[in-house]
Amino acid sequence: MDDVSRIETVMRYHERTKHHFNRYAPGPGELDWANQPNPFRRFEGAPLVRLPLLGPDDEPKSPQYEDLYRRGVVPSMPLTVRSLSRLLQYGLGLSAWKQAGTTRWALRCNPSSGNLHPTEGYLLIGALPELSDTPGLYHYAPREHGIERRVDCSADLFTALMGEFPAQTVLLGLSSIHWREAWKYGERAFRYCQHDAGHAIGALRIAAATLGWSASLLDGLADETINDLLGLSRAEDFEGVEREHAVAVLAVWPTHVGERRQACAQRAVPRHLDSALVQDLTRAGWHGAANRLSRDEPVRWEGIEKVAAATLKPTGDAPGFETFELPGAEHNGLASEGGPQAGQIILQRRSLQACDGQTAITATSFYRILTRLMPLVELPASRRPMPWDTMAEDSNIQLGLFVHRVTGLEPGLYLLVRDPTKIGNLKRAMNPDFDWSTPPGCPAELLLRMLKAGDARRLATQLSCHQDIAGDGVFSLAMIAQYQEPLFTHGAWFYRRLLWEAGLIGQVLYLESEAAGVQATGIGCYFDDPVHRMFGIEDLAYQSLYHFTVGVAIEDLRLTTLAPYGTGADRQERGIDRP
């Protein structure tokens, strides 16, 4: 399939999976509860290493949430089993169990559409005391908070593979099981899997920041190389079970180590791996076979299969994504006093199910949330605020806001331009009657514009598949992406990147809402083209890729919340277990 054919496949998929007022995208019609996929993958026969369960006051302690955004304030922790445990706990671990009657289900720090969790996590790490005397690739098991050793990697191979990275660098790999989302959402599920990948990337980057660590996506990797690295290409390990699809690999390292490397003249971290060395890893000793997730065969969605094939990232570096420039050492003063800990915000994050439809937030809180969504694209990627430093490309998404209940701000339709260089194109693409005025009290660093004043509650609800949460919150939003041009500039694979960026924005919105005393949730169901027409968008230059709402949640008193991992005594006594 040539490049143009791949892009055409993506665009056909995107059009086919739009929701319309008179019909929804192709879906299952009804849910086959007996065939619901297991949200927990295990590799039977792979040795499990149980990580220590750390309480909020255990070392390494969480910094203040505010300090995550103050470069150089959070001290960089060394790589240990305990810091590794904290990274995976805050990034991909369980945050709680919910129970209604005899039914229980787990919540995780990385949110997911429908709580279905298509994303799997992997870890390539060197020898580490209390873990292993030799390097290895592991699969993360969130229910057990443990890692399953999938392959033994020789010290020589690990050194050759990781030689250009700072010492103590670990690689975090992500894959996606499309069936987990398609079981409920049908053909549109591929979009949701990519949203979830963006949420996971954001969750891991923020988890790394709680340890004072740096992170970068390895944008130069082809999906074929990721498949080999994570063992996803091993047909014998997935025989008769649901397959996983390559998503991404992040390099994560203690920042103080990177600073020492910079002092020794290393100025950049690669965004690629030697594919030949990764091939050597495929010939090492592998352990375990993947478990089956559903009782019966998954329902085939041809549209998902086609778009997954079309968006495979090809071999070779993406132009401009070859290296991550190491920022200079920064130490910006003392830690904040007061305010919530980052770990508290991460673990208390919930997807709101209903809003009270009455409570407002202040303009100060509103502007603060929006400020955290600004990537500062004028800076080099490594100098941008966390977590926008993770991705190399400039922002392609602007935010169309339905403002309902913000004290001191007139209700109506607004636009947050996250990349100031694109405001001219946006004005030309949107309704010429829009106002484009700056709201009162708006900080200078925020390019927020009022498009049209008025009560947008009913409109927001209608456009989000008639869901009340879009109109009952304090504000909701549509993530409007530059669509056609990036696909033809980078290739069909960039479709996934646009959806990842949307998920990353959503992850920041979740945590910022919690920090502001409200809650948020992603909205995957919305009427695509009616949203575009409301903004005056008449072609494929821009498309809405994800919706979100923020508000004051109504607590469901029928549900009981349980701890994610047992009791405090269990945490202190459990330690490391090698069954």
Side-chain angles (χ1 to χ4, degrees):
M1 190 185 300
D2 61 33
D3 290 344
V4 173
S5 297
R6 289 175 182 271
I7 293 171
E8 289 175 346
T9 299
V10 166
M11 297 181 77
R12 281 195 299 270
Y13 168 81
H14 189 72
E15 290 300 309
R16 178 176 167 81
T17 57
K18 286 181 174 179
H19 291 321
H20 301 271
F21 283 139
N22 62 336
R23 68 167 177 84
Y24 287 90
E30 60 183 24
L31 296 181
D32 182 359
W33 290 103
N35 207 35
Q36 182 178 6
N38 184 346
F40 298 112
R41 167 139 279 173
R42 290 293 305 274
F43 284 86
E44 297 163 2
L48 176 71
V49 180
R50 295 183 181 271
L51 298 172
L53 293 173
L54 305 176
D57 296 324
D58 295 333
E59 295 288 347
K61 292 185 178 180
S62 170
Q64 303 302 108
Y65 176 74
E66 180 66 24
D67 288 345
L68 297 184
Y69 295 92
R70 299 173 63 206
R71 186 184 293 272
V73 169
V74 179
S76 183
M77 297 291 106
L79 176 61
T80 66
V81 166
R82 296 177 72 85
S83 58
L84 177 65
S85 174
R86 195 64 100 188
L87 173 70
L88 293 174
Q89 175 194 14
Y90 287 167
L92 301 176
L94 304 188
S95 57
W97 287 86
K98 289 288 187 179
Q99 183 166 336
T102 59
T103 303
R104 287 198 344 164
W105 60 95
L107 305 180
R108 304 193 197 184
C109 293
N110 59 308
S112 170
S113 300
N115 201 37
L116 297 171
H117 291 286
T119 309
E120 295 291 324
Y122 292 83
L123 170 76
L124 181 68
I125 188 171
L128 189 66
E130 297 187 88
L131 182 62
S132 177
D133 296 331
T134 57
L137 175 81
Y138 298 83
H139 168 256
Y140 179 58
R143 180 171 54 187
E144 293 79 11
H145 190 51
I147 50 178
E148 300 174 292
R149 190 172 176 93
R150 287 282 287 131
V151 69
D152 303 318
C153 178
S154 71
D156 289 344
L157 177 56
F158 184 82
T159 298
L161 193 62
M162 302 296 292
E164 295 185 61
F165 292 89
Q168 300 187 15
T169 294
V170 299
L171 299 184
L172 299 172
L174 297 174
S175 69
S176 184
I177 302 172
H178 298 155
W179 165 239
R180 282 197 180 130
E181 290 288 336
W183 167 80
K184 180 177 182 179
Y185 296 115
E187 202 165 339
R188 195 171 166 105
F190 182 80
R191 300 191 190 193
Y192 301 161
C193 289
Q194 308 313 314
H195 290 157
D196 286 5
H199 279 291
I201 290 167
L204 286 167
R205 176 62 188 101
I206 292 165
T210 69
L211 298 164
W213 292 0
S214 300
S216 174
L217 272 178
L218 300 192
D219 291 298
L221 287 185
D223 282 349
E224 181 181 0
T225 303
I226 297 176
N227 282 328
D228 288 341
L229 178 71
L230 305 184
L232 309 182
S233 56
R234 292 178 54 79
E236 62 270 35
D237 294 350
F238 292 89
E239 185 175 357
V241 306
E242 301 84 351
R243 297 300 296 265
E244 300 178 25
H245 300 264
V247 172
V249 175
L250 293 90
V252 178
W253 65 93
T255 301
H256 67 82
V257 176
E259 290 172 358
R260 288 203 298 268
R261 290 290 289 268
Q262 189 183 34
C264 298
Q266 179 176 352
R267 299 298 180 187
V269 173
R271 292 184 182 269
H272 62 271
L273 297 170
D274 188 324
S275 59
L277 293 174
V278 174
Q279 272 290 311
D280 289 343
L281 185 64
T282 67
R283 293 184 281 271
W286 288 77
H287 311 286
N291 64 330
R292 188 173 180 84
L293 304 177
S294 285
R295 182 194 65 184
D296 303 324
E297 285 294 314
V299 175
R300 284 191 61 191
W301 290 95
E302 187 177 359
I304 292 179
E305 293 177 0
K306 287 183 177 180
V307 75
T311 55
L312 286 173
K313 191 169 184 299
T315 303
D317 290 339
F321 297 162
E322 293 86 356
T323 60
F324 176 89
E325 298 296 325
L326 284 171
E330 290 189 40
H331 302 282
N332 290 336
L334 300 175
S336 301
E337 295 184 5
Q341 291 185 332
Q344 173 191 334
I345 296 297
I346 291 169
L347 293 174
Q348 77 180 37
R349 184 213 61 81
R350 300 289 185 268
S351 296
L352 65 80
Q353 304 300 312
C355 302
D356 70 357
Q358 298 178 357
T359 309
I361 61 170
T362 65
T364 299
S365 294
F366 176 69
Y367 289 140
R368 179 188 179 88
I369 291 172
L370 297 189
T371 299
R372 287 280 159 79
L373 301 176
M374 297 297 289
L376 302 186
V377 295
E378 65 273 16
L379 298 176
S382 62
R383 299 288 302 172
R384 293 172 187 167
M386 187 282 306
W388 315 113
D389 57 354
T390 309
M391 294 185 176
E393 70 270 14
D394 292 340
S395 171
N396 288 282
I397 293 180
Q398 323 307 322
L399 305 181
L401 295 133
F402 305 85
V403 174
H404 308 313
R405 300 173 183 86
V406 177
T407 304
L409 205 62
E410 190 172 3
L413 186 65
Y414 291 73
L415 188 74
L416 177 66
V417 183
R418 300 175 64 244
D419 183 347
T421 66
K422 297 177 179 177
I423 189 169
N425 288 337
L426 289 161
K427 286 184 175 180
R428 287 187 288 272
M430 292 186 172
N431 188 332
D433 294 331
F434 282 157
D435 188 37
W436 295 95
S437 61
T438 302
C442 180
E445 64 269 21
L446 274 184
L447 196 54
L448 179 68
R449 297 292 181 263
M450 172 184 271
L451 303 181
K452 188 174 183 178
D455 187 343
R457 292 174 295 177
R458 183 178 178 186
L459 177 64
T461 297
Q462 289 177 332
L463 292 175
S464 291
C465 296
H466 308 290
Q467 298 178 80
D468 290 338
I469 54 174
D472 286 346
V474 294
F475 70 91
S476 59
L477 59 85
M479 302 188 192
I480 302 172
Q482 197 172 359
Y483 175 66
Q484 207 167 30
E485 182 179 326
L487 293 182
F488 282 96
T489 299
H490 299 292
W493 63 271
F494 207 78
Y495 181 61
R496 290 159 53 198
R497 295 300 294 261
L498 295 174
L499 294 164
W500 295 359
E501 184 182 351
L504 183 58
I505 292 169
Q507 190 64 19
V508 176
L509 269 170
Y510 264 125
L511 299 187
E512 282 299 308
S513 298
E514 295 284 349
V518 291
Q519 290 186 322
T521 193
I523 299 176
C525 185
Y526 53 88
F527 297 116
D528 300 63
D529 286 338
V531 172
H532 303 144
R533 288 193 292 270
M534 189 269 302
F535 282 101
I537 296 169
E538 298 178 350
D539 56 23
L540 296 176
Y542 294 92
Q543 293 285 280
S544 184
L545 296 185
Y546 196 16
H547 284 209
F548 238 79
T549 190
V550 175
V552 176
I554 299 175
E555 184 180 2
D556 190 338
L557 299 178
R558 299 169 299 174
L559 304 183
T560 302
T561 302
L562 305 172
Y565 297 110
T567 67
D570 293 336
R571 284 195 295 268
Q572 296 302 318
E573 297 172 3
R574 186 180 183 205
I576 305 291
D577 176 32
R578 293 184 178 87

